[in-house]
Short mmCIF file of all heavy atoms in Angstrom, two decimals:
data_model
loop_
_atom_site.label_atom_id
_atom_site.label_comp_id
_atom_site.label_asym_id
_atom_site.label_seq_id
_atom_site.Cartn_x
_atom_site.Cartn_y
_atom_site.Cartn_z
N VAL I 880 -11.34 -38.40 6.95
CA VAL I 880 -9.99 -38.40 7.49
C VAL I 880 -9.84 -39.65 8.34
O VAL I 880 -10.61 -39.89 9.27
CB VAL I 880 -9.70 -37.13 8.34
CG1 VAL I 880 -8.29 -37.19 8.93
CG2 VAL I 880 -9.88 -35.88 7.49
N ARG I 881 -8.87 -40.47 7.97
CA ARG I 881 -8.57 -41.70 8.72
C ARG I 881 -7.44 -41.39 9.69
O ARG I 881 -6.41 -40.83 9.31
CB ARG I 881 -8.16 -42.82 7.77
CG ARG I 881 -7.80 -44.11 8.51
CD ARG I 881 -7.51 -45.27 7.59
NE ARG I 881 -8.74 -45.64 6.90
CZ ARG I 881 -8.83 -45.86 5.58
NH1 ARG I 881 -7.76 -45.77 4.82
NH2 ARG I 881 -9.97 -46.20 5.05
N PHE I 882 -7.63 -41.78 10.94
CA PHE I 882 -6.65 -41.57 12.00
C PHE I 882 -6.03 -42.91 12.34
O PHE I 882 -6.72 -43.84 12.76
CB PHE I 882 -7.33 -40.99 13.25
CG PHE I 882 -7.92 -39.63 13.04
CD1 PHE I 882 -9.16 -39.47 12.45
CD2 PHE I 882 -7.22 -38.50 13.44
CE1 PHE I 882 -9.70 -38.20 12.27
CE2 PHE I 882 -7.75 -37.23 13.25
CZ PHE I 882 -8.99 -37.09 12.67
N GLU I 883 -4.71 -43.01 12.16
CA GLU I 883 -3.96 -44.21 12.51
C GLU I 883 -2.74 -43.76 13.29
O GLU I 883 -1.77 -43.28 12.69
CB GLU I 883 -3.55 -44.98 11.26
CG GLU I 883 -4.74 -45.50 10.46
CD GLU I 883 -4.33 -46.11 9.14
OE1 GLU I 883 -3.93 -45.35 8.24
OE2 GLU I 883 -4.40 -47.36 9.03
N GLY I 884 -2.81 -43.87 14.62
CA GLY I 884 -1.74 -43.35 15.46
C GLY I 884 -1.62 -41.86 15.22
O GLY I 884 -2.60 -41.13 15.30
N SER I 885 -0.44 -41.38 14.86
CA SER I 885 -0.26 -39.96 14.58
C SER I 885 -0.43 -39.64 13.09
O SER I 885 -0.36 -38.49 12.69
CB SER I 885 1.12 -39.51 15.05
OG SER I 885 2.12 -40.22 14.34
N LYS I 886 -0.68 -40.63 12.27
CA LYS I 886 -0.84 -40.45 10.82
C LYS I 886 -2.29 -40.05 10.50
O LYS I 886 -3.23 -40.58 11.07
CB LYS I 886 -0.49 -41.74 10.09
CG LYS I 886 -0.58 -41.65 8.58
CD LYS I 886 -0.20 -42.97 7.95
CE LYS I 886 -0.40 -42.89 6.44
NZ LYS I 886 -0.20 -44.20 5.82
N ARG I 887 -2.44 -39.09 9.57
CA ARG I 887 -3.74 -38.63 9.10
C ARG I 887 -3.80 -38.81 7.60
O ARG I 887 -2.94 -38.31 6.87
CB ARG I 887 -3.97 -37.15 9.44
CG ARG I 887 -3.75 -36.78 10.90
CD ARG I 887 -4.74 -37.50 11.81
NE ARG I 887 -4.68 -37.03 13.19
CZ ARG I 887 -4.20 -37.74 14.19
NH1 ARG I 887 -3.66 -38.93 13.98
NH2 ARG I 887 -4.23 -37.27 15.43
N THR I 888 -4.82 -39.52 7.11
CA THR I 888 -4.98 -39.75 5.69
C THR I 888 -6.31 -39.18 5.25
O THR I 888 -7.35 -39.51 5.84
CB THR I 888 -4.93 -41.26 5.37
OG1 THR I 888 -3.72 -41.81 5.90
CG2 THR I 888 -5.02 -41.52 3.88
N VAL I 889 -6.30 -38.34 4.21
CA VAL I 889 -7.52 -37.76 3.68
C VAL I 889 -7.99 -38.63 2.50
O VAL I 889 -7.20 -38.93 1.60
CB VAL I 889 -7.30 -36.31 3.22
CG1 VAL I 889 -8.56 -35.75 2.58
CG2 VAL I 889 -6.86 -35.44 4.40
N ILE I 890 -9.25 -39.01 2.54
CA ILE I 890 -9.85 -39.86 1.51
C ILE I 890 -10.94 -39.05 0.84
O ILE I 890 -11.85 -38.54 1.50
CB ILE I 890 -10.43 -41.14 2.13
CG1 ILE I 890 -9.34 -41.87 2.92
CG2 ILE I 890 -11.04 -42.04 1.07
CD1 ILE I 890 -9.86 -42.71 4.05
N ASP I 891 -10.86 -38.92 -0.48
CA ASP I 891 -11.86 -38.18 -1.24
C ASP I 891 -13.08 -39.05 -1.51
O ASP I 891 -12.95 -40.25 -1.77
CB ASP I 891 -11.28 -37.72 -2.58
CG ASP I 891 -10.15 -36.73 -2.41
OD1 ASP I 891 -10.22 -35.92 -1.46
OD2 ASP I 891 -9.21 -36.74 -3.22
N GLY I 892 -14.28 -38.43 -1.50
CA GLY I 892 -15.49 -39.11 -1.88
C GLY I 892 -15.55 -39.25 -3.39
O GLY I 892 -14.71 -38.72 -4.09
N PRO I 893 -16.50 -39.98 -3.94
CA PRO I 893 -17.62 -40.59 -3.23
C PRO I 893 -17.20 -41.86 -2.50
O PRO I 893 -16.18 -42.45 -2.81
CB PRO I 893 -18.60 -40.92 -4.35
CG PRO I 893 -17.75 -41.13 -5.55
CD PRO I 893 -16.57 -40.21 -5.38
N PHE I 894 -18.03 -42.23 -1.54
CA PHE I 894 -17.75 -43.39 -0.71
C PHE I 894 -18.68 -44.53 -1.11
O PHE I 894 -19.87 -44.33 -1.30
CB PHE I 894 -17.90 -43.05 0.77
CG PHE I 894 -17.07 -41.85 1.13
CD1 PHE I 894 -17.68 -40.67 1.51
CD2 PHE I 894 -15.69 -41.89 1.05
CE1 PHE I 894 -16.92 -39.56 1.84
CE2 PHE I 894 -14.92 -40.77 1.36
CZ PHE I 894 -15.53 -39.61 1.75
N ALA I 895 -18.12 -45.71 -1.24
CA ALA I 895 -18.84 -46.86 -1.76
C ALA I 895 -19.90 -47.41 -0.82
O ALA I 895 -20.87 -48.01 -1.26
CB ALA I 895 -17.85 -47.97 -2.13
N GLU I 896 -19.74 -47.21 0.48
CA GLU I 896 -20.65 -47.82 1.45
C GLU I 896 -21.97 -47.07 1.52
O GLU I 896 -22.35 -46.53 2.55
CB GLU I 896 -20.01 -47.88 2.84
CG GLU I 896 -18.71 -48.62 2.90
CD GLU I 896 -17.52 -47.72 2.59
OE1 GLU I 896 -17.59 -46.50 2.82
OE2 GLU I 896 -16.52 -48.24 2.08
N THR I 897 -22.72 -47.04 0.41
CA THR I 897 -23.95 -46.24 0.37
C THR I 897 -25.03 -46.80 1.28
O THR I 897 -25.95 -46.08 1.64
CB THR I 897 -24.48 -46.12 -1.06
OG1 THR I 897 -24.66 -47.44 -1.59
CG2 THR I 897 -23.53 -45.33 -1.92
N LYS I 898 -24.96 -48.07 1.68
CA LYS I 898 -25.96 -48.59 2.61
C LYS I 898 -25.84 -47.93 3.98
O LYS I 898 -26.76 -47.97 4.77
CB LYS I 898 -25.84 -50.11 2.74
CG LYS I 898 -24.57 -50.56 3.40
CD LYS I 898 -24.50 -52.06 3.52
CE LYS I 898 -23.19 -52.38 4.22
NZ LYS I 898 -23.05 -53.70 4.64
N GLU I 899 -24.71 -47.29 4.26
CA GLU I 899 -24.47 -46.60 5.52
C GLU I 899 -24.57 -45.08 5.36
O GLU I 899 -24.16 -44.35 6.22
CB GLU I 899 -23.08 -46.96 6.05
CG GLU I 899 -22.87 -48.44 6.29
CD GLU I 899 -23.51 -48.93 7.58
OE1 GLU I 899 -23.67 -48.12 8.50
OE2 GLU I 899 -23.86 -50.11 7.64
N LEU I 900 -25.10 -44.62 4.25
CA LEU I 900 -25.11 -43.21 3.92
C LEU I 900 -26.01 -42.40 4.84
O LEU I 900 -27.14 -42.79 5.12
CB LEU I 900 -25.57 -43.03 2.47
CG LEU I 900 -25.63 -41.62 1.94
CD1 LEU I 900 -24.24 -41.03 1.85
CD2 LEU I 900 -26.29 -41.61 0.58
N ILE I 901 -25.52 -41.25 5.30
CA ILE I 901 -26.32 -40.30 6.06
C ILE I 901 -26.64 -39.14 5.13
O ILE I 901 -25.73 -38.46 4.65
CB ILE I 901 -25.56 -39.81 7.31
CG1 ILE I 901 -25.27 -40.98 8.23
CG2 ILE I 901 -26.37 -38.73 8.01
CD1 ILE I 901 -24.37 -40.62 9.39
N ALA I 902 -27.92 -38.93 4.85
CA ALA I 902 -28.31 -37.88 3.90
C ALA I 902 -28.70 -36.59 4.61
O ALA I 902 -28.82 -35.55 3.97
CB ALA I 902 -29.48 -38.38 3.06
N GLY I 903 -28.90 -36.65 5.89
CA GLY I 903 -29.27 -35.46 6.66
C GLY I 903 -29.47 -35.85 8.10
O GLY I 903 -29.26 -37.00 8.49
N PHE I 904 -29.86 -34.86 8.90
CA PHE I 904 -30.06 -35.16 10.31
C PHE I 904 -31.05 -34.18 10.92
O PHE I 904 -31.27 -33.09 10.40
CB PHE I 904 -28.74 -35.10 11.09
CG PHE I 904 -28.21 -33.69 11.24
CD1 PHE I 904 -28.54 -32.92 12.35
CD2 PHE I 904 -27.41 -33.13 10.27
CE1 PHE I 904 -28.08 -31.61 12.49
CE2 PHE I 904 -26.93 -31.83 10.40
CZ PHE I 904 -27.27 -31.08 11.50
N TRP I 905 -31.64 -34.60 12.00
CA TRP I 905 -32.41 -33.74 12.89
C TRP I 905 -31.78 -33.85 14.27
O TRP I 905 -31.23 -34.90 14.63
CB TRP I 905 -33.83 -34.24 13.07
CG TRP I 905 -34.82 -33.95 12.02
CD1 TRP I 905 -35.25 -32.73 11.58
CD2 TRP I 905 -35.58 -34.91 11.28
NE1 TRP I 905 -36.21 -32.88 10.63
CE2 TRP I 905 -36.44 -34.21 10.43
CE3 TRP I 905 -35.61 -36.30 11.27
CZ2 TRP I 905 -37.33 -34.83 9.57
CZ3 TRP I 905 -36.49 -36.92 10.43
CH2 TRP I 905 -37.34 -36.19 9.58
N LEU I 906 -31.91 -32.80 15.03
CA LEU I 906 -31.58 -32.85 16.45
C LEU I 906 -32.86 -32.48 17.17
O LEU I 906 -33.38 -31.37 17.01
CB LEU I 906 -30.45 -31.87 16.78
CG LEU I 906 -29.95 -31.89 18.22
CD1 LEU I 906 -29.45 -33.27 18.61
CD2 LEU I 906 -28.84 -30.87 18.39
N TRP I 907 -33.41 -33.44 17.89
CA TRP I 907 -34.68 -33.26 18.59
C TRP I 907 -34.44 -33.33 20.09
O TRP I 907 -33.58 -34.06 20.56
CB TRP I 907 -35.66 -34.38 18.25
CG TRP I 907 -36.15 -34.41 16.84
CD1 TRP I 907 -35.95 -33.50 15.85
CD2 TRP I 907 -36.94 -35.46 16.26
NE1 TRP I 907 -36.57 -33.91 14.70
CE2 TRP I 907 -37.19 -35.11 14.93
CE3 TRP I 907 -37.46 -36.64 16.75
CZ2 TRP I 907 -37.94 -35.91 14.07
CZ3 TRP I 907 -38.21 -37.43 15.90
CH2 TRP I 907 -38.45 -37.06 14.57
N GLN I 908 -35.28 -32.63 20.82
CA GLN I 908 -35.29 -32.76 22.27
C GLN I 908 -36.67 -33.29 22.66
O GLN I 908 -37.66 -32.58 22.55
CB GLN I 908 -35.03 -31.42 22.95
CG GLN I 908 -34.88 -31.55 24.45
CD GLN I 908 -34.34 -30.27 25.07
OE1 GLN I 908 -34.32 -29.22 24.44
NE2 GLN I 908 -33.90 -30.38 26.29
N VAL I 909 -36.68 -34.55 23.08
CA VAL I 909 -37.92 -35.22 23.47
C VAL I 909 -37.74 -35.84 24.85
O VAL I 909 -36.63 -35.94 25.35
CB VAL I 909 -38.32 -36.31 22.44
CG1 VAL I 909 -38.71 -35.68 21.11
CG2 VAL I 909 -37.21 -37.32 22.22
N LYS I 910 -38.85 -36.27 25.43
CA LYS I 910 -38.81 -36.85 26.77
C LYS I 910 -38.33 -38.29 26.80
O LYS I 910 -37.85 -38.77 27.81
CB LYS I 910 -40.19 -36.74 27.41
CG LYS I 910 -40.63 -35.31 27.64
CD LYS I 910 -42.02 -35.26 28.26
CE LYS I 910 -42.45 -33.83 28.43
NZ LYS I 910 -43.46 -33.41 27.51
N SER I 911 -38.49 -39.00 25.66
CA SER I 911 -38.14 -40.41 25.64
C SER I 911 -37.92 -40.89 24.21
O SER I 911 -38.32 -40.23 23.25
CB SER I 911 -39.28 -41.24 26.26
OG SER I 911 -40.44 -41.14 25.44
N LEU I 912 -37.30 -42.05 24.11
CA LEU I 912 -37.11 -42.68 22.81
C LEU I 912 -38.47 -42.99 22.18
O LEU I 912 -38.65 -42.86 20.97
CB LEU I 912 -36.28 -43.96 22.96
CG LEU I 912 -35.99 -44.74 21.69
CD1 LEU I 912 -35.24 -43.89 20.67
CD2 LEU I 912 -35.18 -45.99 22.02
N GLU I 913 -39.42 -43.37 23.00
CA GLU I 913 -40.76 -43.68 22.50
C GLU I 913 -41.40 -42.45 21.86
O GLU I 913 -42.06 -42.55 20.83
CB GLU I 913 -41.64 -44.22 23.63
CG GLU I 913 -41.24 -45.60 24.13
CD GLU I 913 -39.96 -45.61 24.96
OE1 GLU I 913 -39.60 -44.58 25.58
OE2 GLU I 913 -39.29 -46.67 24.96
N GLU I 914 -41.22 -41.28 22.48
CA GLU I 914 -41.76 -40.05 21.90
C GLU I 914 -41.09 -39.76 20.55
O GLU I 914 -41.75 -39.39 19.58
CB GLU I 914 -41.58 -38.87 22.84
CG GLU I 914 -42.19 -37.59 22.28
CD GLU I 914 -41.99 -36.37 23.16
OE1 GLU I 914 -41.30 -36.46 24.21
OE2 GLU I 914 -42.52 -35.32 22.79
N ALA I 915 -39.78 -39.97 20.48
CA ALA I 915 -39.07 -39.77 19.21
C ALA I 915 -39.61 -40.71 18.14
O ALA I 915 -39.82 -40.30 16.99
CB ALA I 915 -37.58 -39.99 19.41
N LEU I 916 -39.86 -41.96 18.51
CA LEU I 916 -40.40 -42.92 17.55
C LEU I 916 -41.78 -42.49 17.05
O LEU I 916 -42.08 -42.59 15.85
CB LEU I 916 -40.49 -44.31 18.17
CG LEU I 916 -39.16 -45.03 18.35
CD1 LEU I 916 -39.32 -46.25 19.25
CD2 LEU I 916 -38.58 -45.40 17.01
N GLU I 917 -42.61 -42.01 17.95
CA GLU I 917 -43.95 -41.56 17.54
C GLU I 917 -43.86 -40.39 16.56
O GLU I 917 -44.59 -40.34 15.57
CB GLU I 917 -44.80 -41.20 18.76
CG GLU I 917 -45.23 -42.41 19.56
CD GLU I 917 -45.94 -43.47 18.71
OE1 GLU I 917 -46.85 -43.11 17.93
OE2 GLU I 917 -45.57 -44.66 18.81
N TRP I 918 -42.97 -39.44 16.83
CA TRP I 918 -42.79 -38.32 15.89
C TRP I 918 -42.23 -38.81 14.56
O TRP I 918 -42.67 -38.38 13.50
CB TRP I 918 -41.88 -37.26 16.50
CG TRP I 918 -42.63 -36.31 17.37
CD1 TRP I 918 -42.67 -36.29 18.73
CD2 TRP I 918 -43.47 -35.25 16.93
NE1 TRP I 918 -43.49 -35.29 19.17
CE2 TRP I 918 -43.99 -34.62 18.08
CE3 TRP I 918 -43.84 -34.75 15.68
CZ2 TRP I 918 -44.85 -33.54 18.02
CZ3 TRP I 918 -44.71 -33.67 15.62
CH2 TRP I 918 -45.21 -33.08 16.78
N LEU I 919 -41.25 -39.69 14.60
CA LEU I 919 -40.63 -40.15 13.37
C LEU I 919 -41.61 -40.92 12.49
O LEU I 919 -41.57 -40.81 11.27
CB LEU I 919 -39.41 -41.01 13.68
CG LEU I 919 -38.59 -41.43 12.47
CD1 LEU I 919 -38.15 -40.23 11.64
CD2 LEU I 919 -37.40 -42.25 12.90
#
């Protein structure tokens, strides 16, 4: 959904920008970025 002022435009996939593709996610709770890097 693209937001331009009060206008809303729905864009159907697939999306061409596959270099920016998010295939999944984790939500971790760690003490530091360094700890996250070690786990990753």
Side-chain angles (χ1 to χ4, degrees):
V880 178
R881 178 175 294 133
F882 296 82
E883 296 173 289
S885 61
K886 182 180 176 187
R887 307 297 188 251
T888 305
V889 176
I890 304 153
D891 295 325
F894 306 114
E896 303 87 27
T897 56
K898 67 180 181 168
E899 301 282 333
L900 181 66
I901 298 172
F904 70 92
W905 280 298
L906 184 58
W907 293 353
Q908 186 168 14
V909 292
K910 295 179 182 107
S911 65
L912 180 59
E913 291 73 26
E914 182 182 4
L916 287 167
E917 289 307 312
W918 275 102
L919 186 55

